[in-house]
């Protein structure tokens, strides 16, 4: 059993980053969107509240997906769905920096129509293309927090001919 968090939440996103467990966003008991985050330190069995961790993120609908986050090379990335922007978190300043846009429609179905995952040293986005025929595409990049625009490559041999449903409820990426 571990100590309780400062704020209870549901529909949040979680990750391990630099030896701590982070919980971001979500909704409180009154269904209000939370902009704070929390980190758990196992060595001290304590939670640190991170006020306004998501203060610059746009809430586009009450039914919006939890924050789309992924960790690559000890950096936390987020997909800002309203603008299809990729952002990286500066843990020291509590600021998200824009590092480009993603090549898929991130705001499809209020963020539920896209998968955003890490795989080794890469980020993956799975969703529908920006083009008029709206086909399912998978793109990958090796992100860098110091670059203003990432280089995305389409992975052509995945999802060939597949049509994704409007909602991606869960996505797990595995490789050997």
């Amino acid at each position: 059993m571990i100590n309780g968090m400062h704020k209870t939440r549901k529909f949040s996103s979680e990750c391990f980053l630099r030896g701590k467990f982070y919980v971001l966003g979500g909704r409180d008991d009154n269904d209000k969107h939370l902009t704070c985050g929390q980190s758990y330190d196992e060595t001290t069995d304590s939670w640190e509240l991170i006020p306004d961790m998501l203060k610059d993120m746009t809430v586009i609908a009450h039914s919006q997906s939890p924050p789309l986050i992924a960790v690559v090379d000890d950096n936390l990335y987020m997909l800002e769905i309203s603008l299809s922007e990729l952002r990286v978190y500066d843990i020291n300043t509590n600021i998200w920096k824009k590092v480009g846009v993603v090549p898929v429609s991130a705001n499809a179905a209020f963020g539920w129509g896209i998968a955003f995952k890490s795989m080794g040293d890469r980020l993956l986005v799975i969703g529908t293309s920006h083009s008029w025929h709206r086909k399912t595409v998978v793109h990958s990049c090796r992100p860098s927090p110091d670059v203003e625009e990432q280089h995305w490559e389409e992975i052509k041999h995945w999802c060939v001919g597949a049509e994704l449903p409007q909602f991606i409820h869960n996505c797990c990426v595995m490789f050997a």
Side-chain angles (χ1 to χ4, degrees):
M1 200 67 156
I2 65 174
N3 282 322
M5 292 190 288
H6 293 278
K7 291 195 178 273
T8 58
R9 58 186 74 219
K10 57 188 175 187
F11 303 111
S12 58
S13 294
E14 301 79 26
C15 68
F16 283 97
L17 176 67
R18 301 181 186 178
K20 294 183 180 179
F21 180 69
Y22 282 77
V23 181
L24 287 73
R27 293 185 225 146
D28 66 13
D29 292 333
N30 298 317
D31 244 12
K32 180 183 174 223
H33 282 275
L34 295 170
T35 61
C36 62
Q38 297 181 77
S39 66
Y40 177 74
D41 186 335
E42 184 179 34
T43 59
T44 61
D45 187 27
S46 63
W47 288 93
E48 177 187 354
L49 184 65
I50 308 168
D52 296 324
M53 188 175 188
L54 301 174
K55 68 180 179 272
D56 295 330
M57 300 303 143
T58 305
V59 176
I60 57 176
H62 181 72
S63 58
Q64 175 172 323
S65 73
L68 298 174
I69 61 172
V71 176
V72 174
D73 293 331
D74 249 356
N75 288 300
L76 177 59
Y77 292 90
M78 174 183 284
L79 183 53
E80 165 52 277
I81 62 172
S82 67
L83 303 169
S84 295
E85 286 182 355
L86 179 64
R87 297 185 181 182
V88 64
Y89 183 64
D90 184 330
I91 201 167
N92 298 315
T93 62
N94 192 28
I95 293 175
W96 293 90
K97 177 179 127 182
K98 179 183 171 184
V99 288
V101 296
V102 295
V104 297
S105 298
N107 61 358
F110 307 118
W112 291 102
I114 188 168
F116 181 67
K117 299 291 178 182
S118 59
M119 185 175 77
D121 64 349
R122 301 184 78 80
L123 285 175
L124 296 176
V125 290
I126 304 168
T128 55
S129 64
H130 289 297
S131 65
W132 63 272
H133 56 342
R134 314 272 304 157
K135 69 176 184 160
T136 300
V137 292
V138 179
H139 282 86
S140 164
C141 80
R142 284 193 174 89
S144 172
D146 303 318
V147 176
E148 288 186 22
E149 193 66 41
Q150 307 303 308
H151 175 71
W152 293 92
E153 301 169 7
E154 184 175 353
I155 302 175
K156 297 200 181 279
H157 59 277
W158 285 14
C159 299
V160 174
E163 290 215 15
L164 291 177
Q166 185 176 5
F167 293 92
I168 299 176
H169 295 284
N170 194 3
C171 176
C172 181
V173 177
M174 296 180 279
F175 67 101

